[in-house]
Amino acid sequence: MGEMEQLRKEAESLKDQITAARKAVQDSTLQEAAAGITVVGRIQMKTRKTLRGHLAKIYAMHWSTDSKLCVSASQDGKLIVWDSITTNKVNAIPLKSSWVMTCAYAPSGNLVACGGLDNMCSIYNLKGKDGNVKVMRELAAHTGYLSCCRFISDTEIITSSGDCTCILWDIETGTQKTVFAGHQGDCMSLAVAPDFKFFISGACDFTAKLWDIREGTCRQTFGGHESDVNAIGFFPNGNAVITGSDDATCKLFDLRADQELITYQDSSIMCGVTSLAPSLSGRLLLAGYDDFNVNIWDMLKAERVGKYMWKLYIPLENGRKVDPAEDSEGSCRVAAGTEH
Amino acid sequence: MTINTLAKGGLHREQMSCFRKMEKVIVAMQDPDMGMKMRNQRLLITVIPHAMTGQDVITWLIQKYHICEEEALHLGEMLVRYGYIYPLKEPRCLVLRPDESPYRFQTPYFWTSTRWPATELDYAIHLAKKNIRKQGELMEYEKERYSLLHKRINHTWDFVVMQAREQLRASKQRRKADRIVLECQEQAYWLINRPPPGVQNMLDWALERPNNFSTRVPLNSDYYKSEIETSRRALGRNRVKSSVCLEGFIKYSEQYQNHDPIMQGCLPSNPWISDDIAYWTMNSEIVPVPTRLRVERWSFRFMELLSDAMGRREFMTYLEKEFSAENLHFWQACEEIRHGESSKIVEKVEDVYKNFLAPGAARWVNIDSKTMDKTLEGIKRPHRFVMDDAQMHIYFLMKKDSYPRYLKSDLYKNMLAKAVVPQETKKSVFPFMRRQRHSSPSPAQASAQAAEEDGRAGTNSAAGSHF
């Protein structure tokens, strides 16, 4: 017991030193740095498309890199690939397990993946020879639910799980290549860096971690949230991480300064953040909340410049595109009427 | 997928923090100085004290949070839907009406966060009271549930009926106003804990997250050892001043503002508004003539050039003129190893060695000896990342040397000059086109104006700002 107590103290002390080192480079606040900038004008969002067809809550969706196709996963046990412009369904893929919680579109457009309470990540080939979409691989090794998955290429995919780990898989062989362990709570979401060398994960231990894909190690840990981190994304230049949490705030953590630089919060916002995405220039942050709203933040002034409010809950029979509480990013982008 | 309200003694954290915030609002609303003015509200012939109107709630929220009416309505509705405020008129409908409808604060006993287990027994008693009090007061779904309960907890039915009668008797002793209030309170409580069919269950959120500070991750010495290792490495990293970082974001946003469709709109038109996908067609991977914005982006950073297929092609043409094309070929070959199929790695690494690294190779690349040695050593046991160091070396070589010269070259300048600036599609061109919704001007119209005022329009402002 004495040894463990010593180890624990040493770990604590190192964390304190990191905190001090971070403080040492804090020479400016956002207010000071952005003093010369005017806030973006009010942004109006309108629904442009509604994709109907799902029969139950939609838990996740993901855009393809061509900005036209997207995939959505619903608890009715279907994965649907949509042509969002025409609102036609390109594929409707029946799933073995209907308890799906996440889905992803490969950058190449050839594959989609999904997973959930079955603890597995299932990969589907959209461009199979005979035109049928079939399961290509079932990646099983997690001991908890699959909360998120993202492709790096057609041969590699990263998954995050309720078992507190993330895994990098080799899709070809269907085996796990690296296990990223370190979080102390369910991993809820992940995002891959633009250069594909790193990825970030947000978890129920209130932290976000930056992982080196090649080394398999955690390079940086970011704390500060007071509740689960549900959503995570990179700032477009890859130098910062944006997180959304159940504590109703979003935070921007800079990777080079190794700390939180900006918090996006408002006393009238009480519900947790469920999803987020920055605009292409990084000036705007679109964040979806548990109260079915999407708030648009001016990222450099930390002020809200727009709000998209879903009407009151519509019964599921209408097959409304998205249950906004779960994921409004994609629909917000659709609603915004722009490619991002 | 309802949540077990007493989830094994654990709290459902995400909801709790949301409720705590709502409760703060409720308490603030009742503050004697800054809170709402409450008065007696008339309900038919009865006068209910300490009540407020729907409009009162909205006005107070607008003032307190400096938000618009729409938002205040949304916020107020949330308070009602979660049962912190309940309606006195039409108690079966948890909706906030922005008018003279009377509302009251729910007693803390019934607050959702109090998490009394709303048991079947309690529900049965509640339904029994309604049934006894007035024939026909139960709704269809309540009647169904009542008979279901009657079957399920039949053994305690005498108790249920007895309790119901007792509570009804006790309530008869009360003043009418109190009786109404208590009935409404209870009604609101049960609407939340046993919602009618078709109404969303406010307590039904996503799946439980059982592993907060998880018992799955044992805090043993192995764990601490790895934490120490991770922290030591993290401590040693270089940290950049926050002022520099913030400056970096500001510069990036400025540089890319014209390229951001939400900020600046896009030409010829926004496909989501006009249903015309010309914007995407013009910007697809390979086109005869790229757009000007796209060619401009190549000058922003080296990775922009490299990650664009046309940019790579142009750059390759330039390098061929300079007799250093092998660098880009090498870089591309390394990318294919990094992201390609595992089964092909060995073969690809061999190819790369033969073509680029072996002495006398046809496309020999100039790597420093240290990196070369390390790479050659690594090739003996090839893996996905074996070329990383060499690739990085060549990448920086191109970035520092060839890239800046390319941007100054005629090749690039001509490309920029030739590049297309799409004509903005005028609405009047398609007079018969049916619009899905009312088209609105590009959301960035206001911001574009603001940008011009600041004189920060900067680069080419051919990008239109209104549609």
Side-chain angles (χ1 to χ4, degrees):
Chain A
M1 270 308 138
E3 192 214 347
M4 190 159 100
E5 188 54 29
Q6 263 186 324
L7 287 174
R8 195 187 65 76
K9 283 215 171 85
E10 191 178 345
E12 283 289 312
S13 138
L14 280 168
K15 292 215 166 81
D16 289 337
Q17 289 176 55
I18 292 178
T19 307
R22 286 171 170 170
K23 242 197 157 91
V25 295
Q26 243 175 36
D27 66 335
S28 174
T29 63
L30 178 68
Q31 269 88 323
E32 288 161 17
I37 306 179
T38 26
V39 178
V40 168
R42 194 125 188 104
I43 306 260
Q44 297 276 31
M45 297 257 154
K46 284 195 158 68
T47 308
R48 301 290 173 191
K49 305 282 176 192
T50 304
L51 307 178
R52 295 178 203 280
H54 276 304
L55 303 171
K57 266 199 200 168
I58 299 167
Y59 260 76
M61 65 86 64
H62 194 218
W63 285 100
S64 161
T65 42
D66 73 356
S67 302
K68 282 176 262 167
L69 299 173
C70 67
V71 63
S72 62
S74 159
Q75 302 248 318
D76 63 4
K78 286 252 173 34
L79 205 61
I80 298 186
V81 177
W82 307 84
D83 178 337
S84 306
I85 276 282
T86 60
T87 72
N88 289 337
K89 301 183 198 33
V90 177
N91 297 99
I93 307 164
L95 304 172
K96 272 193 205 167
S97 158
S98 66
W99 301 112
V100 63
M101 293 173 70
T102 182
C103 60
Y105 218 122
S108 64
N110 296 331
L111 309 173
V112 288
C114 69
L117 285 186
D118 56 359
N119 297 2
M120 282 194 319
C121 181
S122 306
I123 315 271
Y124 296 84
N125 186 354
L126 295 177
K127 309 273 167 82
K129 275 178 229 139
D130 55 357
N132 274 341
V133 177
K134 286 195 291 260
V135 180
M136 199 177 101
R137 287 284 179 277
E138 283 176 340
L139 309 173
H142 278 300
T143 53
Y145 62 85
L146 208 78
S147 52
C148 190
C149 54
R150 287 291 176 255
F151 284 93
I152 298 185
S153 63
D154 277 3
T155 53
E156 293 181 297
I157 189 171
I158 303 187
T159 56
S160 64
S161 165
D163 67 7
C164 311
T165 68
C166 298
I167 295 183
L168 170 72
W169 304 83
D170 180 333
I171 296 179
E172 243 184 308
T173 58
T175 54
Q176 53 177 335
K177 293 213 295 197
T178 320
V179 177
F180 302 89
H183 273 301
Q184 278 184 274
D186 302 20
C187 294
M188 295 310 298
S189 60
L190 70 96
V192 182
D195 65 5
F196 299 109
K197 298 205 169 122
F198 303 100
F199 78 93
I200 42 178
S201 60
C204 291
D205 60 4
F206 308 174
T207 68
K209 282 181 185 282
L210 176 79
W211 305 90
D212 184 326
I213 294 181
R214 177 180 170 175
E215 307 281 318
T217 54
C218 166
R219 289 184 106 217
Q220 289 166 267
T221 303
F222 301 103
H225 274 299
E226 292 165 10
S227 189
D228 303 355
V229 177
N230 295 325
I232 202 161
F234 272 96
F235 189 85
N237 70 358
N239 282 346
V241 166
I242 312 165
T243 55
S245 160
D246 271 335
D247 65 7
T249 70
C250 294
K251 287 181 190 283
L252 181 137
F253 297 94
D254 187 291
L255 296 180
R256 299 181 301 166
D258 188 36
Q259 60 191 278
E260 173 193 331
L261 289 186
I262 314 176
T263 299
Y264 304 95
Q265 66 186 350
D266 188 311
S267 51
S268 67
I269 300 176
M270 296 187 222
C271 287
V273 181
T274 54
S275 56
L276 58 84
S279 76
L280 190 144
S281 65
R283 186 63 196 266
L284 299 173
L285 176 68
L286 289 79
Y289 292 74
D290 267 334
D291 61 356
F292 306 160
N293 277 354
V294 176
N295 284 314
I296 304 158
W297 296 87
D298 178 335
M299 285 197 78
L300 299 180
K301 299 296 279 182
E303 286 180 37
R304 274 199 298 167
V305 294
K307 191 176 170 105
Y308 183 79
M309 289 163 54
W310 288 93
K311 303 220 182 10
L312 271 192
Y313 184 77
I314 295 170
L316 290 165
E317 290 78 39
N318 281 1
R320 211 172 89 200
K321 177 188 191 292
V322 162
D323 177 338
E326 303 300 337
D327 175 298
S328 42
E329 261 341 280
S331 62
C332 180
R333 290 176 163 189
V334 173
T338 64
E339 112 178 329
H340 274 286
Chain B
M1 268 192 308
T2 41
I3 302 158
N4 194 355
T5 51
L6 284 188
K8 304 171 193 83
L11 296 171
H12 207 72
R13 297 166 323 283
E14 52 254 52
Q15 276 192 289
M16 293 304 276
S17 59
C18 183
F19 292 149
R20 261 197 293 273
K21 292 188 176 107
M22 283 194 236
E23 282 157 21
K24 278 206 183 97
V25 178
I26 294 293
V27 167
M29 278 177 152
Q30 296 176 70
D31 181 89
D33 298 316
M34 301 298 293
M36 289 191 334
K37 295 279 172 288
M38 296 199 280
R39 43 206 141 122
N40 297 343
Q41 291 289 340
R42 184 162 237 105
L43 198 66
L44 290 179
I45 51 170
T46 326
V47 173
I48 317 272
H50 303 302
M52 60 269 187
T53 66
Q55 191 56 55
D56 285 339
V57 174
I58 292 173
T59 312
W60 188 87
L61 286 171
I62 292 177
Q63 278 168 359
K64 165 93 173 166
Y65 293 109
H66 310 290
I67 51 182
C68 65
E69 176 139 7
E70 199 190 9
E71 270 194 61
L73 183 59
H74 177 87
L75 197 52
E77 272 188 342
M78 252 193 7
L79 293 173
V80 174
R81 272 189 290 147
Y82 279 101
Y84 285 98
I85 295 179
Y86 61 88
L88 291 167
K89 209 163 41 163
E90 287 178 56
R92 282 186 179 281
C93 206
L94 291 184
V95 153
L96 180 69
R97 294 189 202 288
D99 53 22
E100 299 299 304
S101 307
Y103 290 85
R104 236 171 160 266
F105 292 110
Q106 179 65 289
T107 169
Y109 180 86
F110 277 145
W111 278 1
T112 315
S113 53
T114 317
R115 312 204 72 86
W116 285 121
T119 63
E120 292 191 320
L121 193 62
D122 295 327
Y123 193 40
I125 294 172
H126 167 73
L127 290 177
K129 276 199 292 188
K130 272 196 177 173
N131 203 23
I132 296 171
R133 188 166 52 218
K134 191 158 125 195
Q135 279 299 343
E137 195 174 349
L138 285 183
M139 313 229 53
E140 262 319 304
Y141 76 90
E142 282 174 327
K143 284 191 195 138
E144 281 172 26
R145 291 180 187 176
Y146 192 49
S147 36
L148 254 157
L149 282 168
H150 183 79
K151 276 190 214 130
R152 256 216 301 271
I153 56 173
N154 194 284
H155 50 284
T156 58
W157 207 250
D158 289 341
F159 177 71
V160 168
V161 172
M162 186 190 73
Q163 267 295 302
R165 289 219 167 95
E166 263 307 303
Q167 290 181 19
L168 280 175
R169 200 180 56 80
S171 76
K172 279 205 170 75
Q173 315 275 359
R174 297 204 166 89
R175 288 191 352 249
K176 182 146 188 222
D178 290 343
R179 234 192 359 258
I180 292 179
V181 159
L182 287 171
E183 276 166 25
C184 289
Q185 278 178 352
E186 228 184 89
Q187 175 70 79
Y189 176 79
W190 286 110
L191 276 176
I192 291 181
N193 283 278
R194 294 282 189 279
V199 172
Q200 184 188 22
N201 184 351
M202 298 314 297
L203 299 181
D204 174 18
W205 289 97
L207 301 167
E208 279 214 41
R209 297 171 187 178
N211 291 322
N212 183 30
F213 297 106
S214 171
T215 45
R216 275 181 191 268
V217 180
L219 298 181
N220 53 19
S221 22
D222 279 341
Y223 172 77
Y224 284 121
K225 281 192 184 133
S226 117
E227 276 294 293
I228 289 170
E229 180 65 38
T230 309
S231 295
R232 277 220 185 95
R233 263 176 298 146
L235 184 59
R237 54 175 300 113
N238 228 355
R239 286 176 182 81
V240 177
K241 293 208 183 111
S242 58
S243 56
V244 173
C245 299
L246 289 167
E247 189 62 33
F249 296 133
I250 294 173
K251 288 223 156 65
Y252 186 92
S253 298
E254 274 175 18
Q255 193 179 41
Y256 279 85
Q257 180 167 311
N258 286 346
H259 301 249
D260 184 342
I262 304 185
M263 293 293 290
Q264 209 71 17
C266 51
L267 298 172
S269 65
N270 187 325
W272 296 108
I273 300 177
S274 64
D275 270 346
D276 173 20
I277 61 170
Y279 172 69
W280 287 324
T281 322
M282 285 181 171
N283 283 294
S284 43
E285 199 164 344
I286 304 286
V287 286
V289 187
T291 59
R292 196 182 165 105
L293 282 178
R294 180 177 180 175
V295 179
E296 262 179 39
R297 276 202 294 278
W298 297 348
S299 69
F300 288 174
R301 36 190 57 78
F302 191 35
M303 265 323 277
E304 283 281 359
L305 179 67
L306 283 188
S307 45
D308 183 339
M310 285 196 73
R312 271 200 309 275
R313 210 174 59 181
E314 287 296 303
F315 191 51
M316 185 68 87
T317 312
Y318 176 74
L319 291 179
E320 269 158 12
K321 289 207 178 124
E322 302 245 309
F323 304 107
S324 53
E326 67 276 0
N327 287 336
L328 186 56
H329 283 299
F330 176 68
W331 184 86
Q332 281 178 178
C334 292
E335 282 292 281
E336 288 189 20
I337 295 176
R338 278 191 122 242
H339 297 298
E341 294 164 42
S342 308
S343 51
K344 302 231 169 81
I345 288 181
V346 175
E347 177 190 326
K348 284 182 183 169
V349 169
E350 261 199 53
D351 275 343
V352 165
Y353 173 74
K354 265 202 306 246
N355 290 327
F356 299 98
L357 299 174
R363 288 167 160 178
W364 191 80
V365 286
N366 192 359
I367 303 176
D368 68 286
S369 52
K370 187 165 157 219
T371 312
M372 180 66 97
D373 287 343
K374 189 169 170 205
T375 308
L376 292 179
E377 190 56 39
I379 288 180
K380 293 180 186 161
R381 267 177 311 274
H383 58 91
R384 189 174 291 275
F385 305 110
V386 71
M387 291 296 176
D388 270 11
D389 289 340
Q391 186 188 25
M392 189 61 40
H393 181 92
I394 294 295
Y395 172 84
F396 279 117
L397 196 64
M398 291 192 287
K399 180 175 171 185
K400 293 225 160 69
D401 184 31
S402 317
Y403 175 60
R405 284 187 288 116
Y406 167 67
L407 292 180
K408 297 201 184 90
S409 72
D410 286 334
L411 194 62
Y412 177 71
K413 291 197 176 127
N414 288 340
M415 196 72 194
L416 198 58
K418 263 191 333 188
V420 163
V421 177
Q423 276 293 348
E424 185 188 334
T425 311
K426 296 275 181 256
K427 272 191 225 165
S428 52
V429 175
F430 305 110
F432 304 113
M433 192 159 154
R434 190 160 55 92
R435 306 235 162 248
Q436 299 251 3
R437 312 275 166 151
H438 16 273
S439 285
S440 66
S442 161
Q445 186 178 12
S447 64
Q449 284 169 353
E452 271 156 44
E453 276 157 25
D454 278 352
R456 278 191 309 112
T459 51
N460 179 24
S461 28
S465 58
H466 37 87
F467 291 87

